[in-house]
Amino acid sequence: MNDCVFCKIERGEIPSKKFYEDELMFIIADIEPKAEKHYLMIPKKHYKLLADMTEEDAANLAKCLKKLSELAPSLGLGGGYRLVINQGDDAGQTVHHLHVHVLGGQKMDFPKL
Ligand code: AMP
Ligand code: ZN
């Protein structure tokens, strides 16, 4: 997608702090961190919602999550981490390219919003 910020980052048209990349996804630092450690794990394929996934997309996302679990200690997330996938307007999704927020590096509570 030409005007998608995450596709632009993947193409190198917008700079980012990249921590990991493979054929399926890349992991960058969020520019507005909401925790001591705040990464975005971004599948390279552009789609907006979990509801848009093909079976192959779903299998690939599962592989990405497995890889993330292996990378977690080297990302400073050895004490645990939280994953958030905002879906649509009520969740406040601002970038319409599916991404997983990876939050950690601190103790977190779980407030009622
Ligand atoms: P969401 O609100 O779930 O769609 O999350 C989008 C996230 O992308 C936000 O946390 C933004 O801070 C982050 N973001 C937007 N532009 C960039 C960028 N150029 N580099 C890194 N993170 C970004
Ligand atoms: Zn995109």
Side-chain angles (χ1 to χ4, degrees), residues 1 13 29 39-41 47 52 73 76 78 93 103:
M1 298 286 281
E13 295 168 15
Y39 305 96
L40 299 172
M41 183 175 76
Y47 57 92
D52 299 330
Q93 184 176 8
L103 303 145

Side-chain angles (χ1 to χ4, degrees), residues 7-8 12 17 25-27 41 45-48 50 56 60 70 73 77 80 95-96 99 107 112-113:
C7 287
K8 284 183 175 174
K17 186 160 189 207
M25 58 87 164
F26 55 100
I27 296 174
M41 183 175 76
K45 182 173 171 190
H46 179 101
Y47 57 92
K48 178 181 175 185
L50 294 169
E56 185 182 21
N60 286 341
E70 293 162 8
L77 302 171
V95 179
H96 295 173
H99 52 282
K107 294 278 187 198
K112 184 170 166 53
L113 298 172

Side-chain angles (χ1 to χ4, degrees), residues 5-6 9 28-32 40 86 92-95 99 101:
V5 62
F6 292 162
I9 288 173
I28 62 171
D30 196 295
I31 42 164
E32 289 184 43
L40 299 172
N86 290 325
Q93 184 176 8
T94 58
V95 179
H99 52 282
H101 294 264

